[in-house]
């Protein structure tokens, strides 16, 4: 119930103008990064905290602990006008590693419950989860894009298409095509964002759609946290042992140590693939790895799996809930302090002047193009929206890469913005 809208909203709201420049880095953190994190956390759980757990079960719990949800940190970064590369890397990686974590979780859960054995045949069958999902996501994304194009100007219809599309994609992937619904929704939403613009486009209809998604996701998260809180209060805390409490406070720092090791080992590759990960960005990416709704959903799935010992299920639900609370209250509340301490939101006076000057150059170049477009075509466009789209896209690009307002840089941006506005 909760996963389709949470994944779709987070993916579709990403700015493609910036995401495509950090996409390879997000994929590295979301695939090999999550696998490494799952292995390290699972190993710690098995060898140190719960030796009575099977390796499969320990890795299963490690996979759900690897799903990050840095909503509070991302909101703080945006409010402080912080380094855009950090914001998009944090947000984009979180959306993608949710997909990877859920795929690993779905692969390991039947084995942990004792219903299947991990062998070559089993992994061969589950390879479909990785390869069929993206293809199906592209197909369904194009179908949804066509539907939204015909519904332009009708905010309610567009909203219904998006909500229904997320659930339909999840059902088609999981039940009919036997592939990953999460990866399918992720690719579908990014495809729509790429073709149409994010949910935050400059448009009255899109403003209404964006407001709906904010409320919808808020309600979904509120219901999820209420359900988990109720179950933990009834079955988790009363049945948690003193050892479980100690394990909770031991696991919290280990999660960030494991993330630091993972990111440190992947750092050379990250710096080759995209924007440079400075030590300030490195620290912020570690600090911003909160746990949230997806981890809680997966913990509830384990709690409802009767093939697993009840004591083990209660321990996982208690640990997951505790980790979510600790990361929100510790990492979430200190995000502003860390951003200010790292000075990743400080823009020197000359940088602010250069940005303003660049915007003026963008508008000057844009005016020429707009005059030619108005004279050369009969297409009715929202020219003020086109200006804002172009300036926003240039500022995003300039924040991630040190580019200048030259014709070679501006023309492609204008073309993309024009295509989007014509859409």
């Amino acid at each position: 119930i909760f996963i389709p809208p949470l994944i779709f909203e987070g993916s579709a709201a990403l700015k493609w103008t910036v995401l495509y420049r950090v996409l390879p880095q997000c994929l590295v953190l979301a695939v090999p990064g999550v696998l490494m994190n799952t292995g390290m956390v699972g190993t710690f759980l098995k060898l140190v905290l719960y030796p009575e757990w099977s390796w499969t079960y320990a890795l299963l719990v490690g996979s759900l602990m690897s799903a990050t949800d840095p909503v509070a940190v991302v909101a703080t970064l945006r409010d402080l006008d912080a380094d855009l590369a950090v914001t998009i890397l944090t947000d984009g990686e979180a959306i993608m590693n949710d997909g990877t974590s859920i795929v690993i979780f779905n692969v390991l859960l039947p084995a942990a419950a004792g219903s299947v054995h991990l062998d070559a045949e089993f992994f061969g069958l589950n390879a479909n989860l990785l390869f069929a999902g993206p293809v199906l996501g592209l197909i369904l994304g194009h179908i949804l894009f066509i539907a939204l194009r015909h519904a332009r100007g009708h905010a309610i219809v567009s909203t219904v298409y998006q909500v229904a599309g997320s659930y339909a994609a999840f059902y088609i992937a999981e039940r009919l095509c036997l592939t990953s619904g999460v990866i399918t929704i992720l690719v579908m939403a990014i495809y729509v964002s790429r073709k149409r613009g994010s949910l935050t486009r400059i448009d009255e209809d899109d403003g209404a759609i964006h407001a709906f998604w904010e409320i919808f996701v808020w309600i979904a998260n509120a219901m999820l946290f209420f359900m988990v809180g109720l179950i933990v209060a009834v079955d988790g805390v009363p049945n948690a042992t003193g050892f479980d409490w100690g394990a909770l406070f031991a696991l919290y720092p280990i999660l960030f140590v494991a993330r630091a090791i993972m990111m440190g080992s992947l750092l050379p590759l990250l710096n080759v693939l995209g924007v440079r990960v400075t030590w300030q960005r490195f620290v912020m990416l570690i600090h911003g790895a909160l746990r949230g709704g997806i981890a809680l959903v997966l913990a509830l799935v384990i709690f409802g799996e009767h093939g697993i010992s009840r004591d083990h299920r209660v321990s996982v639900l208690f640990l997951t809930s505790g980790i979510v609370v600790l990361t929100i209250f510790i990492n979430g509340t200190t995000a502003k302090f860390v951003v200010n301490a790292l000075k990743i939101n400080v823009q020197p006076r000359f940088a602010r002047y250069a940005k303003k000057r660049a915007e003026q150059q963008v508008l000057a170049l844009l005016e020429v193009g707009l005059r030619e477009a108005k004279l050369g075509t009969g297409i009715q466009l929202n020219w003020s929206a086109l200006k804002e789209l172009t300036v926003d896209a240039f500022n995003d690009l300039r924040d991630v890469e040190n580019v200048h307002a030259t014709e070679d840089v501006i023309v492609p941006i204008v073309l993309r913005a024009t295509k989007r506005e014509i859409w």
Side-chain angles (χ1 to χ4, degrees):
I1 294 175
F2 298 107
I3 287 179
L6 292 177
I7 295 295
F8 183 88
E9 188 275 338
S11 304
L14 294 173
K15 281 188 173 183
W16 177 256
T17 53
V18 179
L19 177 62
Y20 83 98
R21 296 187 177 273
V22 299
L23 185 59
Q25 294 168 301
C26 291
L27 290 173
V28 168
L29 292 172
V31 182
V34 168
L35 289 172
M36 293 172 62
N37 213 67
T38 298
M40 287 186 284
V41 174
T43 299
F44 179 78
L45 288 168
K46 169 64 178 175
L47 298 182
V48 180
L49 296 181
Y50 295 97
E52 68 274 15
W53 288 2
S54 68
W55 275 105
T56 305
Y57 190 64
L59 292 173
L60 176 72
V61 179
S63 69
L64 75 87
M65 291 291 181
S66 298
T68 59
D69 187 12
V71 174
V73 172
V74 169
T76 301
L77 290 170
R78 287 174 177 163
D79 289 342
L80 295 176
D81 194 22
D83 184 350
L84 187 61
V86 172
T87 305
I88 297 298
L89 268 173
T90 302
D91 205 8
E93 182 223 342
I95 295 298
M96 294 179 191
N97 77 16
D98 285 348
T100 308
S101 298
I102 294 173
V103 169
I104 298 173
F105 182 90
N106 288 336
V107 169
L108 294 176
L109 181 61
S115 57
V116 300
H117 296 287
L118 294 177
D119 52 24
E121 181 181 0
F122 175 77
F123 283 109
L125 291 173
N126 280 279
N128 184 50
L129 290 173
L130 295 175
F131 300 109
V135 175
L136 181 61
L138 290 174
I139 295 171
L140 295 179
H142 190 67
I143 294 173
L144 179 59
F145 166 70
I146 293 173
L148 291 173
R149 184 173 61 188
H150 289 291
R152 187 175 188 181
H154 300 85
I156 295 177
V157 177
S158 296
T159 303
V160 170
Y161 281 163
Q162 291 179 17
V163 176
S166 66
Y167 281 103
F170 192 81
Y171 178 82
I172 292 171
E174 294 280 345
R175 300 299 180 185
L176 302 182
C177 298
L178 302 179
T179 186
S180 170
V182 173
I183 291 181
T184 300
I185 294 175
L186 172 67
V187 174
M188 179 182 76
I190 291 177
Y191 179 86
V192 172
S193 177
R194 165 68 180 86
K195 296 286 286 186
R196 176 179 182 271
S198 73
L199 296 179
T200 56
R201 263 194 69 239
I202 304 165
D203 189 298
E204 289 184 4
D205 292 336
D206 283 342
I209 294 171
H210 178 57
F212 165 82
W213 275 109
E214 281 191 332
I215 296 172
F216 189 80
V217 169
W218 183 89
I219 293 173
N221 275 310
M223 291 175 60
L224 176 60
F225 275 78
F226 175 78
M227 289 175 54
V228 173
L230 189 63
I231 295 172
V232 170
V234 173
D235 291 320
V237 174
N239 295 316
T241 64
F243 182 82
D244 288 329
W245 282 97
L248 170 62
F249 290 102
L251 181 60
Y252 171 76
I254 290 299
L255 291 177
F256 293 95
V257 170
R259 182 169 174 82
I261 294 172
M262 176 271 289
M263 288 197 59
S265 61
L266 295 175
L267 190 59
L269 181 59
L270 293 174
N271 283 330
V272 169
L273 291 176
V275 296
R276 184 168 175 266
V277 181
T278 62
W279 72 268
Q280 292 95 336
R281 290 173 175 174
F282 183 87
V283 172
M284 197 66 227
L285 287 169
I286 295 172
H287 182 272
L290 280 68
R291 271 61 175 181
I294 297 299
L296 291 176
V297 169
L298 299 182
L300 284 177
V301 172
I302 291 179
F303 188 74
E305 183 58 62
H306 296 291
I308 300 173
S309 165
R310 176 174 173 78
D311 291 340
H312 293 176
R313 288 184 282 138
V314 169
S315 294
V316 169
L317 185 62
F318 174 77
L319 286 177
T320 306
S321 304
I323 290 296
V324 170
V325 170
L326 287 176
T327 57
I328 290 176
F329 277 96
I330 297 176
N331 298 63
T333 57
T334 58
K336 183 176 181 179
F337 170 79
V338 173
V339 168
N340 290 329
L342 295 174
K343 298 181 179 179
I344 59 175
N345 65 322
V346 176
Q347 286 192 354
R349 183 178 301 177
F350 73 86
R352 293 196 296 269
Y353 172 79
K355 184 174 182 178
K356 185 176 180 179
R357 176 62 179 162
E359 289 181 4
Q360 294 172 347
Q361 292 174 319
V362 170
L363 290 175
L365 288 170
L366 179 60
E367 287 292 344
V368 176
L370 291 182
R371 283 198 299 269
E372 293 178 356
K374 288 178 182 178
L375 293 174
T377 68
I379 299 174
Q380 297 298 316
L381 298 178
N382 184 341
W383 301 104
S384 61
L386 181 56
K387 284 184 180 181
E388 293 187 51
L389 282 170
T390 304
V391 173
D392 286 347
F394 174 77
N395 285 335
D396 291 342
L397 182 60
R398 189 177 184 280
D399 286 341
V400 176
E401 298 183 9
N402 187 23
V403 297
H404 300 284
T406 62
E407 188 173 345
D408 292 340
V409 173
I410 300 302
V411 169
I413 294 176
V414 173
L415 290 175
R416 286 195 296 269
T418 305
K419 283 174 60 180
R420 189 172 298 174
E421 186 55 35
I422 288 174
W423 175 96

